Amino acid sequence: MNSSTPSPSNASTALFDDPDPMASFAAPPFDPANIFNVNGLVVVITGGATECDVTSRESLLTVADSVRSRHGYIDLLINNAGIARNLYAHPLPSPSPPHLSSYTGPPSPPASPALGPTIPSIKAFQSALWDTGSPEDFAETFATNVTAVYYTTVAFLDLLYQGNVRQQRLAGQSGPGIPRPPYHSSQVLSVSSSGSFRLDPKILSPSYTLSKSACTHLGKLLANLLAPWGIRSNILAPGVWPSGGFYSDQCLSYTLTERLLWFEEMTTNPIPDFKLDPIALADSIPLRRTGTEEVGLVRGHVVLPADLSGKDMAGAILFLASRAGAYVNGAVWLVDGGRIGSVASSY
C-alpha cells in the first residue's frame, strides 16, 4: 500500500483534538466559509489502492469495525469503486459501415479481437458481440459496480446513523432516537456515470453501461429506503474524466479535514494497460475538454492547483458534502460538460 494513501491505520486524528469542531466554527450564515464548510466530517470512500475488497462482505465489516473503533461514526459514504469489462471493438460490423476517417467513436483496446475490415454480415456483427468478454466478465462488473454499492452501504448504516446522532447533539437536540433528521444529515453518495443514460451504439462496454444504470437506480432507491433513518442518498454521474489509475474494487476511510481526495470515473483508463486519448474524447464534448480530477481537501476546505484544474469535481463534491447540499436527496448530479445531450440517452 502506498504510504501516502489514507487508510484506517494512518488516518488523521485531528477530530480527537477537537471532539466538536463544528460547534466551534462561527461565520455569518451566508458566508461561503459557513455554507460550504466540511470541517470535522468523517468520510469513507471506496476505490483506491487499499486493502479492502468491496466485493467481500467480511472485508467490508472489518473496515466498518475499524472505523467504528477509531471514530464511532461517519457523515458521508462515497461508493466510488468500479471496474470495466466487455469492451467493444469499435467500429462494429454494419451493413452500412462508416468511413474510417470520419469515425469518432472510442478506439479499440489492444486486447480486443482484431476484426479487420468491416464486413456487412450479420454473422460478423453477431460474433463481435458474442466475443466481447464473457458472462463472467458481466457478473464481475455487476458485482463491483452494483452489488458492492448495496452491501457497502448496508455495512456502514449504523455508522451513518451515529453521524446523525452526533449532528443532533451538536445542534442541541435531545431525546432518544432520531425523531427528525438533523439539518445536515448523513449521506451516501454513489459514483455512477453519465454513461448510465446512454442509448447510442457507440458505448464502450455493455456491462459497464448497464451496471452503471443499475447503480443510478440503486442510488435513487436508497434515498427512499433509508429515509426513515434520516440518511440521504445521491448519485454523481461524471462524464469523460481522466483516471488516475486508482479505479478498483477497494475502499478507504479518513477524516475529510486532513487528506488529499481523488475521484475518477471510468473513461480514459478503463482497464489496466489501456488508455483512451483524452484529446480525441474531448472532441465529442460540447465544452471541448475532459473533466479534471485533482481535488485537494485540507482542514475541510478545497485546495485547488494554481490553474484551478480541479474545480470541475471539487465544486460538485463540496456542494453535496457540505451544508449547501443538505436539502438534496435522491438526486443525480451530471458532471459531463454537456456530452450526454449530444448522444441518444434516457437522461
Side-chain angles (χ1 to χ4, degrees):
M1 181 189 303
N2 190 322
S3 60
S4 64
T5 302
S7 71
S9 61
N10 64 13
S12 167
T13 58
L15 277 178
F16 297 99
D17 298 329
D18 178 5
D20 294 338
M22 299 286 287
S24 62
F25 183 86
F30 296 108
D31 189 322
N34 185 5
I35 298 175
F36 295 99
N37 175 49
V38 292
N39 192 37
L41 299 186
V42 176
V43 185
V44 169
I45 303 176
T46 68
T50 59
E51 297 176 352
C52 172
D53 178 5
V54 296
T55 63
S56 166
R57 301 205 304 177
E58 292 74 17
S59 182
L60 289 171
L61 292 178
T62 297
V63 173
D65 287 341
S66 177
V67 174
R68 181 178 292 105
S69 63
R70 184 168 181 82
H71 301 293
Y73 69 93
I74 65 172
D75 301 284
L76 175 62
L77 169 65
I78 302 180
N79 291 308
N80 185 49
I83 60 173
R85 302 288 187 267
N86 309 96
L87 301 179
Y88 278 144
H90 287 287
L92 295 171
S94 169
S96 301
H99 192 276
L100 292 180
S101 63
S102 64
Y103 178 71
T104 59
S108 300
S112 297
L115 298 178
T118 302
I119 303 173
S121 163
I122 187 62
K123 287 291 187 180
F125 178 63
Q126 182 180 21
S127 295
L129 301 188
W130 186 266
D131 295 331
T132 299
S134 66
E136 290 75 21
D137 291 330
F138 254 84
E140 184 181 0
T141 301
F142 271 81
T144 299
N145 297 357
V146 187
T147 308
V149 172
Y150 175 81
Y151 281 109
T152 301
T153 301
V154 174
F156 288 93
L157 280 182
D158 177 59
L159 289 168
L160 288 163
Y161 178 85
Q162 296 305 322
N164 279 342
V165 172
R166 173 178 174 272
Q167 288 288 350
Q168 281 190 312
R169 177 172 58 83
L170 295 179
Q173 295 174 274
S174 60
I178 300 184
R180 288 183 181 274
Y183 179 87
H184 190 192
S185 59
S186 297
Q187 177 184 190
V188 178
L189 179 59
S190 299
V191 180
S192 181
S193 168
S194 64
S196 67
F197 303 106
R198 291 186 63 170
L199 303 174
D200 64 286
K202 294 181 181 179
I203 60 171
L204 187 67
S205 160
S207 60
Y208 180 83
T209 298
L210 293 171
S211 67
K212 286 300 185 178
S213 181
C215 177
T216 298
H217 188 87
L218 175 58
K220 295 178 181 179
L221 170 65
L222 290 173
N224 292 310
L225 184 65
L226 308 182
W229 300 96
I231 299 171
R232 295 177 294 133
S233 173
N234 290 295
I235 304 97
L236 188 66
V240 177
W241 225 266
S243 172
F246 303 135
Y247 207 79
S248 61
D249 52 346
Q250 307 293 333
C251 59
L252 53 89
S253 67
Y254 55 95
T255 61
L256 196 57
T257 59
E258 294 288 331
R259 296 295 180 181
L260 181 67
L261 174 61
W262 292 82
F263 284 87
E264 67 282 345
E265 173 59 1
M266 190 287 294
T267 48
T268 62
N269 189 24
I271 59 175
D273 303 321
F274 169 49
K275 188 175 182 64
L276 297 175
D277 183 0
I279 297 177
L281 289 170
D283 290 338
S284 65
I285 303 171
L287 295 184
R288 293 296 184 269
R289 66 177 178 84
T290 63
T292 53
E293 65 180 355
E294 295 81 4
V295 185
L297 290 169
V298 179
R299 287 204 170 274
H301 300 284
V302 169
V303 178
L304 299 172
D307 61 358
L308 299 181
S309 63
K311 66 181 180 180
D312 293 330
M313 190 60 74
I317 295 296
L318 185 59
F319 175 82
L320 291 170
S322 67
R323 293 170 63 87
Y327 201 50
V328 179
N329 190 29
V332 179
W333 282 76
L334 185 66
V335 188
D336 76 335
R339 186 176 187 237
I340 200 65
S342 65
V343 298
S345 74
S346 60
Y347 184 76

